[in-house]
Each structure stands twice: as structure tokens, then as C-alpha cells.
């Protein structure tokens, strides 16, 4: 089973602005459901929850 499944275009929410000032967004469709990934400056969010960076 693949990690990423592409959804047909008609299933993607058209009202979601994927491009906006200072924010990069992706919708990831996996076997566990869709996830919204956002990058705002140096901060990363998945489903509106901040992702802690891994310490080097």
C-alpha cells in the first residue's frame, strides 16, 4: 500500500487558498486521511498544530 495516495481533483476542497502571503501549504493524502501541512516563516504546522524541530 503506498504512503501517498493522490485524490481526484474534484475531492480537493476548492475554497482552501493554497497560496497566500508568507504561508506555503500542501494537502497530503495518505492512507490515514488528508493532512494540511503549512510552513509559516521557519515554523511548520500539521493540521494547525506546530511541529517541534528535531534537535541536531
Amino acid at each position: 500500500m503506498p504512503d501517498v495516495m493522490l485524490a481526484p481533483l474534484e475531492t480537493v476542497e476548492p475554497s482552501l487558498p493554497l497560496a497566500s502571503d508568507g504561508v506555503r501549504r500542501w494537502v497530503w493524502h495518505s492512507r490515514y486521511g488528508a493532512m494540511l501541512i503549512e510552513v509559516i516563516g521557519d515554523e511548520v504546522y500539521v493540521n494547525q498544530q506546530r511541529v517541534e524541530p528535531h534537535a541536531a
Side-chain angles (χ1 to χ4, degrees):
M1 194 169 222
D3 288 334
V4 177
M5 291 182 260
L6 299 178
L9 288 177
E10 61 269 7
T11 64
V12 176
E13 183 63 44
S15 63
L16 176 66
L18 291 177
S20 54
D21 290 337
V23 181
R24 293 177 9 211
R25 293 184 178 101
W26 296 268
V27 178
W28 179 292
H29 295 276
S30 73
R31 69 178 96 179
Y32 306 108
M35 291 183 272
L36 174 62
I37 302 168
E38 300 174 287
V39 179
I40 304 170
D42 292 334
E43 304 290 323
V44 178
Y45 297 85
V46 174
N47 292 337
Q48 299 179 332
Q49 294 187 11
R50 186 173 178 270
V51 176
E52 293 290 330
H54 177 71

